[in-house]
Amino acid sequence: HEMPLSKHKPWIETTYHGIVTENDDKVLLDPPLIALDKDAPLRYAESFEVTLTEEGEICGFRIHGQNVPFEAVVLDKSTGEGVIRAKEKLDCELQKEHTFTIQAYDCGEGPDGANMKKSHKATVHIQVNDINEYSPVFKEKSYKATVIEGKKYDSILKVEAVDADCSFQFSQICNYEIVTPDVPFTIDKDGFVKNTEKLSYGKERMYKLTVTAYDCGKNRASEDVLVKISVKPTCKPSWQGFNKRIEYEPGTGSLALFPSMHLETCDEPITSIRAIIDLETNHIGKGCDRDTYSEKSLHKLCGASSGTVELLPAPSSSANWTVGLPTDNGHDSDQVFEFNGTQAIKVPDGLVSTSLKEPFTLSVWMRHGPGAHEKETILCNSDKTEMNRHHYSLYVHNCRLILLLRQDPSEAENYKPAEFHWKLDQACDKEWHHYVLNVEFPTVSLFVDGTTFEPFLVTEDYPLHSTKIESQLTIGACWQGGNARMAQFFRGNLAGLMIRSGKLENKKVIDCLYTCKEGLDVQLPEEVASAVKVEFNPNQSSLTVEGDDIDAFDKVMQHISYLNSRQFPTPGIRHLRISTTVKCFNEESCVIVPDAEGYVMVLQPEEPKISLSGIDHFARSAAEFESQEGVTLFPELRIVSTITREVEADTEYEPTIFQETVVSEEIMHNLDTCEVTVVGDELDGEHEGLEVDMSQLQQHGLEMSSSNLGLVVTGVNTMANYEQVLHLIRYKNWHTEALFDRKFKLVCSELNRRYISNDFKVEVNVIHTANPVEHANNAMVQPNFINPVHHASVDLSGHNLVNAHQASVVPSAATIVIVVCVSFLVFMIILGVFRIRAAHQRTTGDQENGKENEMDWDDSALTITVNPMENACSCSLGDDVTVAQFSLTFQLFLCNDLVEI
């Protein structure tokens, strides 16, 4: 059988599409790679015999193209089936697609394959499939943005990451995420960051966020990125650069309140600035910090000392009519009395002797709110019995201050001014105000906080009818003599109610009475003094600054200071407020500056400890008590005041370790009261009393009041001057026969008893003297003066036996020897008898007789020491013998030597 010739070319598809995964060599083709040759027998023909000839076989595929990384391989020559595979590792990131041509050829004729036939060239498109081998990478190392507080943004910034994978799926960033927890920000899938709430510069000035990214294959970024978002304060016109809490150390002088303050105007064109600085002190004392001395002392300090009578004094033994009134004890001894509409007090008769015909002055501190529509009486002088006539009164009615002044009967029964009305906001604003009324009939002038007010209404009335009814002076209500009850009660607070003979016209004195000891101050720099205007209110609690130059204005504000001139200021908070008004060129867009607030914290002053010391126990002869001079009670008195403070000191071995050490330091300050009171029975004015040199008192500007309880020295003065005056206090007693001792107590205080000294107690004993011989005879007749008392020793250190009366006549030497020898012999006999009696009657004795003659000293065994001329000898009474409480002193002379008992 002869082999037929190969007449036909192999046939393949014109186009193939393939897919291969990178890092793999197998290509999936569509359609499959199969070459057909007509020279090959029909495979599925059943009508003829299938014979396989070489001419019908596909021997191979040839790829055409430059640097094609693929090869085609025949899997089955008879069927023409083949595959395309990669010759090397493919990288989608380098080349995503490959296109080339492929051609099939048969085996041809003859053993060497001559005359082989080739198919047409088919185009092959192969796509390299990506695997997710790369992670997202951010384009920037970090991101920064700045936002303004108080604003919500649609987008603050955009972060962007890229992925090196070649496919859309794996190179696409599908998600961004903020890793940092609990931050007010969110990020979307495109990388835009925005805030979820309005940001506050005061809360957080910078946020640091960590952000990551994910591709669509869920690969996370290899490194997260840092995003910094700074919060910038909105440019709000305001005062900036000052501390809201300012601490004031007592005694340090002026303290700058706003040393670094400046006004932020946000570059607006400012034409003028006006600022009001208010220091709120209404809660301190009577509206601010003042010395808390008695009102009488304050009048004296201010130069209005003559003829003043204090109607609301601090309760004391000499001024007890204010005892029942509630007081405000919360303001460091500032004496404030509260009237609740049910309380009133009667002023003792004779305390006020001011004649209304002569000029006089009324002054009072008052705090009163909008009350009822009834009269509320401050001070009233009315009939004590039978009738309800008001002679004069000061009261409040419907926010009016009214002074009623009814004249006494006179020759002319004419209408005369009787009521003076002032309409005052101050009478109803619930704040403290100081009122001074100068009365010089028929005119009355009123000063409120140093400012003059004229009456808006003056009504007239007839003088009062002549009667013999006495008048009653009351405070807080008016006494109705006809009904015997109080009426027209006052509701509010009163303090420092004074009546004074004579007018108080000196404006400096009036200002001194109400001026605060604390307030605002400013020292204007020379370079800005002309550019800025500064004004104070009367008590320097409010300061107004005006100017048009911002820099100059800031400098003035930086020099405003707080000053408290009290040595011991009232501690606590004083609120500060700065109210600012700004005018601009363009009024419509002018800035609004909010009020700035802070407070001054006045620290607790170091409290002084007032110490009284001196001789606290001594004896004087009865003759001295009965003498014209009397006995000086406090001859060596010392008044010392100290404060203790803690200081830090380096330790000896460890300089870096600090230890707190308490140091006591002596200071000087004034006193305003010293009170001497008798301990025990009250003073009997018929035969005893306390006296002081009144000329010395007046020389030091002090006053003295006395009673059967003792005496009180008052007035603001130095501790040294008080010492001098107290040295002069003397005690006299004209009947000392039954007196053996007297005890007194001295207490001094400062600032109306804010600081009180220790109780300094003095005991003074009376030495009753007698002739030695008489005493020896008395001892012989009345042995009961000597009682067996068991003590170990004699202690006379607490007794200063001075000025004992000695014999004024000196007898001859022989007489002395005889008298002494006889006396000594008698004395020794008495002692021997006493020793025998004491052995048998140790538990008996007349204690009452001994008590009557007792001096307050310790008793013990009595020792007699004898110093003879040649031989020193001593003899002592044994422990079994004691001599109790002698009221006289033996002086024995033996052989020209003194024997003392």
Side-chain angles (χ1 to χ4, degrees):
H1 179 70
E2 188 175 334
M3 254 178 144
L5 296 174
S6 178
K7 299 176 182 179
H8 300 94
K9 297 178 181 179
W11 179 90
I12 58 176
E13 299 285 347
T14 58
T15 304
Y16 292 91
H17 293 276
I19 296 174
V20 64
T21 300
E22 62 179 343
N23 300 331
D24 195 3
D25 62 351
K26 184 189 268 186
V27 178
L28 180 62
L29 280 180
D30 181 27
L33 181 59
I34 297 176
L36 300 177
D37 194 335
K38 289 184 178 181
D39 291 330
L42 293 175
R43 271 181 210 191
Y44 306 106
E46 298 180 359
S47 58
F48 60 88
E49 182 181 351
V50 178
T51 58
L52 296 177
T53 61
E54 291 185 6
E55 292 86 355
E57 293 182 352
I58 300 300
C59 278
F61 297 95
R62 185 172 295 165
I63 290 176
H64 301 277
Q66 191 174 6
N67 298 324
V68 177
F70 294 95
E71 61 182 0
V73 179
V74 178
L75 295 179
D76 190 340
K77 290 185 178 182
S78 62
T79 61
E81 185 180 354
V83 293
I84 297 176
R85 59 189 179 193
K87 295 189 295 184
E88 59 193 42
K89 186 177 180 181
L90 299 175
D91 191 344
C92 175
E93 286 71 36
L94 294 178
Q95 189 170 343
K96 296 173 66 174
E97 291 184 353
H98 295 268
T99 302
F100 53 89
T101 58
I102 190 170
Q103 196 174 27
Y105 62 91
D106 59 16
C107 294
E109 303 174 3
D112 55 356
N115 298 321
M116 64 178 179
K117 301 292 184 183
K118 298 178 183 178
S119 70
H120 62 270
K121 293 180 179 178
T123 303
V124 179
H125 299 282
I126 296 179
Q127 177 183 332
V128 181
N129 270 4
D130 189 22
I131 63 173
N132 197 6
E133 57 186 325
Y134 293 100
S135 297
V137 177
F138 285 97
K139 286 187 174 182
E140 304 289 340
K141 290 184 177 180
S142 64
Y143 293 86
K144 294 180 181 180
T146 300
V147 296
I148 297 175
E149 66 172 344
K151 183 179 177 182
K152 285 191 74 173
Y153 289 81
D154 293 331
S155 173
I156 296 174
L157 63 99
K158 181 182 181 183
V159 299
E160 189 175 359
V162 294
D163 195 311
D165 286 310
C166 66
S167 65
F168 178 82
Q169 177 185 5
F170 297 142
S171 65
Q172 182 74 12
I173 306 300
C174 274
N175 187 31
Y176 290 94
E177 182 182 314
I178 297 175
V179 179
T180 307
D182 302 326
V183 289
F185 298 93
T186 185
I187 189 169
D188 63 15
K189 63 183 183 64
D190 296 319
F192 289 102
V193 178
K194 64 179 181 180
N195 53 322
T196 57
E197 62 184 50
K198 293 180 180 180
L199 305 178
S200 170
Y201 175 78
K203 182 178 179 181
E204 191 70 51
R205 299 187 180 186
M206 176 181 284
Y207 291 90
K208 294 181 180 181
L209 316 177
T210 301
V211 176
T212 192
Y214 293 89
D215 62 22
C216 294
K218 296 186 179 180
N219 260 9
R220 180 172 172 167
S222 55
E223 288 187 11
D224 299 337
V225 72
L226 179 64
V227 178
K228 295 180 181 178
I229 300 177
S230 300
V231 181
K232 183 179 179 182
T234 53
C235 187
K236 296 177 181 176
S238 61
W239 289 105
Q240 297 181 1
F242 75 99
N243 294 324
K244 291 193 174 183
R245 175 187 169 97
I246 303 139
E247 290 189 352
Y248 182 80
E249 183 76 33
T252 55
S254 294
L255 173 67
L257 297 175
F258 321 112
S260 304
M261 174 182 272
H262 69 277
L263 179 61
E264 176 60 64
T265 59
C266 298
D267 300 325
E268 287 286 342
I270 304 298
T271 57
S272 68
I273 311 169
R274 184 172 187 266
I276 300 174
I277 300 92
D278 289 314
L279 178 72
E280 296 182 7
T281 60
N282 293 335
H283 59 293
I284 304 295
K286 296 189 289 289
C288 66
D289 215 2
R290 296 181 177 88
D291 283 331
T292 54
Y293 295 121
S294 68
E295 199 67 22
K296 192 168 186 177
S297 295
L298 291 172
H299 272 68
K300 184 175 291 187
L301 288 174
C302 290
S305 59
S306 62
T308 55
V309 177
E310 193 170 6
L311 301 181
L312 280 176
S316 67
S317 58
S318 58
N320 58 4
W321 63 91
T322 59
V323 169
L325 283 178
T327 60
D328 185 352
N329 294 321
H331 296 303
D332 295 289
S333 302
D334 199 0
Q335 199 66 54
V336 173
F337 295 95
E338 181 180 353
F339 293 83
N340 61 9
T342 63
Q343 296 151 319
I345 57 173
K346 292 182 179 181
V347 177
D349 295 338
L351 185 70
V352 177
S353 58
T354 304
S355 170
L356 299 184
K357 296 179 181 179
E358 301 294 330
F360 70 95
T361 301
L362 278 173
S363 65
V364 66
W365 283 96
M366 180 176 72
R367 178 168 62 185
H368 183 262
H373 298 295
E374 302 171 356
K375 294 180 180 179
E376 297 182 49
T377 302
I378 300 169
L379 178 69
C380 180
N381 184 271
S382 58
D383 288 333
K384 182 176 284 190
T385 57
E386 299 183 27
M387 304 177 72
N388 298 331
R389 298 179 308 165
H390 296 179
H391 297 252
Y392 63 89
S393 67
L394 180 66
Y395 61 94
V396 181
H397 188 210
N398 291 332
C399 295
R400 297 177 182 180
L401 184 69
I402 302 169
L403 175 67
L404 170 69
L405 200 59
R406 298 290 300 278
Q407 292 297 299
D408 290 331
S410 61
E411 295 178 1
E413 294 289 329
N414 297 328
Y415 271 120
K416 293 184 179 180
E419 277 191 336
F420 300 82
H421 297 244
W422 291 270
K423 194 169 185 178
L424 300 169
D425 293 335
Q426 291 90 332
C428 288
D429 63 1
K430 294 185 179 180
E431 304 290 348
W432 279 107
H433 298 285
H434 185 247
Y435 301 82
V436 174
L437 292 103
N438 275 324
V439 181
E440 187 176 20
F441 194 80
T443 62
V444 179
S445 57
L446 171 68
F447 295 88
V448 182
D449 296 336
T451 304
T452 306
F453 288 84
E454 295 296 329
F456 80 95
L457 176 65
V458 177
T459 61
E460 296 182 339
D461 203 345
Y462 284 110
L464 292 172
H465 297 292
S466 178
T467 64
K468 294 183 179 180
I469 301 173
E470 294 182 350
S471 62
Q472 174 66 58
L473 185 61
T474 56
I475 300 171
C478 221
W479 175 254
Q480 293 185 344
N483 303 327
R485 65 182 182 89
M486 294 285 188
Q488 301 174 4
F489 286 94
F490 180 78
R491 294 175 179 83
N493 296 99
L494 297 175
L497 180 58
M498 302 281 292
I499 190 165
R500 176 181 182 271
S501 60
K503 289 176 65 178
L504 191 60
E505 293 181 303
N506 190 331
K507 184 70 166 59
K508 289 185 178 180
V509 174
I510 294 174
D511 289 345
C512 173
L513 289 173
Y514 83 92
T515 299
C516 297
K517 291 287 187 176
E518 65 177 337
L520 299 172
D521 193 16
V522 62
Q523 299 294 330
L524 288 178
E526 293 183 5
E527 63 270 19
V528 300
S530 59
V532 178
K533 180 182 177 183
V534 177
E535 290 182 349
F536 288 92
N537 72 335
N539 61 0
Q540 290 194 279
S541 64
S542 182
L543 172 64
T544 303
V545 184
E546 292 185 79
D548 52 13
D549 185 319
I550 294 180
D551 292 337
F553 203 93
D554 286 346
K555 284 187 178 179
V556 172
M557 294 294 290
Q558 291 165 9
H559 283 79
I560 293 175
S561 59
Y562 169 80
L563 174 64
N564 194 316
S565 59
R566 293 190 67 191
Q567 186 176 9
F568 307 108
T570 303
I573 288 175
R574 278 79 162 159
H575 287 281
L576 280 168
R577 178 180 288 107
I578 305 174
S579 308
T580 311
T581 305
V582 177
K583 291 184 179 179
C584 311
F585 287 107
N586 182 2
E587 293 289 342
E588 294 181 0
S589 63
C590 195
V591 297
I592 297 176
V593 180
D595 289 355
E597 296 185 354
Y599 62 92
V600 177
M601 172 57 79
V602 178
L603 302 178
Q604 179 77 37
E606 291 160 335
E607 298 195 359
K609 180 182 179 183
I610 305 171
S611 300
L612 309 180
S613 61
I615 299 175
D616 60 358
H617 195 173
F618 57 88
R620 295 288 184 270
S621 67
E624 288 190 55
F625 286 92
E626 297 175 358
S627 68
Q628 186 66 32
E629 291 78 16
V631 173
T632 302
L633 288 183
F634 312 107
E636 297 183 22
L637 177 70
R638 282 277 291 130
I639 305 177
V640 176
S641 184
T642 57
I643 58 172
T644 56
R645 62 180 63 184
E646 292 182 350
V647 296
E648 290 185 348
D650 294 347
T651 60
E652 183 176 353
Y653 303 105
E654 296 287 341
T656 58
I657 298 176
F658 293 95
Q659 291 182 341
E660 288 188 348
T661 305
V662 176
V663 175
S664 181
E665 178 181 333
E666 186 172 337
I667 62 167
M668 302 300 295
H669 58 77
N670 290 331
L671 298 175
D672 61 357
T673 305
C674 282
E675 186 172 4
V676 182
T677 54
V678 63
V679 178
D681 296 337
E682 296 181 358
L683 295 171
D684 187 344
E686 293 184 2
H687 66 264
E688 65 178 338
L690 293 172
E691 293 183 2
V692 66
D693 189 335
M694 295 304 296
S695 63
Q696 287 289 328
L697 271 179
Q698 293 170 0
Q699 182 179 337
H700 290 106
L702 298 173
E703 296 184 2
M704 186 269 290
S705 60
S706 60
S707 68
N708 56 354
L709 298 176
L711 62 82
V712 182
V713 180
T714 58
V716 181
N717 218 313
T718 63
M719 293 186 292
N721 285 344
Y722 262 96
E723 265 187 18
Q724 292 180 19
V725 170
L726 294 173
H727 286 165
L728 303 175
I729 294 178
R730 302 180 302 275
Y731 170 66
K732 292 183 180 180
N733 193 307
W734 300 276
H735 300 287
T736 59
E737 293 86 356
L739 180 68
F740 296 98
D741 61 69
R742 210 59 163 119
K743 298 176 182 177
F744 298 91
K745 180 179 73 174
L746 172 65
V747 178
C748 294
S749 63
E750 161 69 334
L751 291 170
N752 214 4
R753 299 185 65 82
R754 179 177 175 184
Y755 303 119
I756 304 175
S757 74
N758 59 306
D759 291 353
F760 179 62
K761 295 181 179 179
V762 169
E763 178 178 342
V764 56
N765 300 124
V766 182
I767 302 174
H768 295 277
T769 58
N771 187 295
V773 176
E774 290 179 356
H775 181 78
N777 294 330
N778 289 340
M780 202 178 243
V781 176
Q782 298 178 344
N784 286 337
F785 272 105
I786 305 172
N787 296 312
V789 184
H790 303 281
H791 290 289
S793 62
V794 176
D795 181 9
L796 301 180
S797 60
H799 302 267
N800 187 8
L801 303 177
V802 295
N803 295 333
H805 289 269
Q806 301 180 11
S808 58
V809 179
V810 180
S812 65
T815 305
I816 292 174
V817 171
I818 295 171
V819 171
V820 167
C821 290
V822 173
S823 299
F824 184 74
L825 179 61
V826 172
F827 182 66
M828 294 302 294
I829 294 171
I830 293 172
L831 290 179
V833 173
F834 177 75
R835 180 188 285 266
I836 296 170
R837 288 172 59 102
H840 296 283
Q841 300 177 1
R842 185 176 303 273
T843 58
T844 63
D846 191 353
Q847 296 293 335
E848 293 301 320
N849 289 341
K851 185 67 178 178
E852 290 176 1
N853 297 280
E854 179 177 345
M855 273 187 68
D856 287 341
W857 56 21
D858 295 330
D859 317 302
S860 65
L862 181 67
T863 300
I864 303 176
T865 303
V866 182
N867 295 319
M869 183 180 298
E870 294 181 357
N871 297 322
C873 66
S874 65
C875 60
S876 93
L877 293 143
D879 291 340
D880 292 334
V881 181
T882 59
V883 182
Q885 303 177 344
F886 280 95
S887 61
L888 54 87
T889 301
F890 283 107
Q891 291 186 332
L892 304 178
F893 294 84
L894 179 60
C895 301
N896 295 328
D897 294 305
L898 177 65
V899 178
E900 291 186 352
I901 300 180

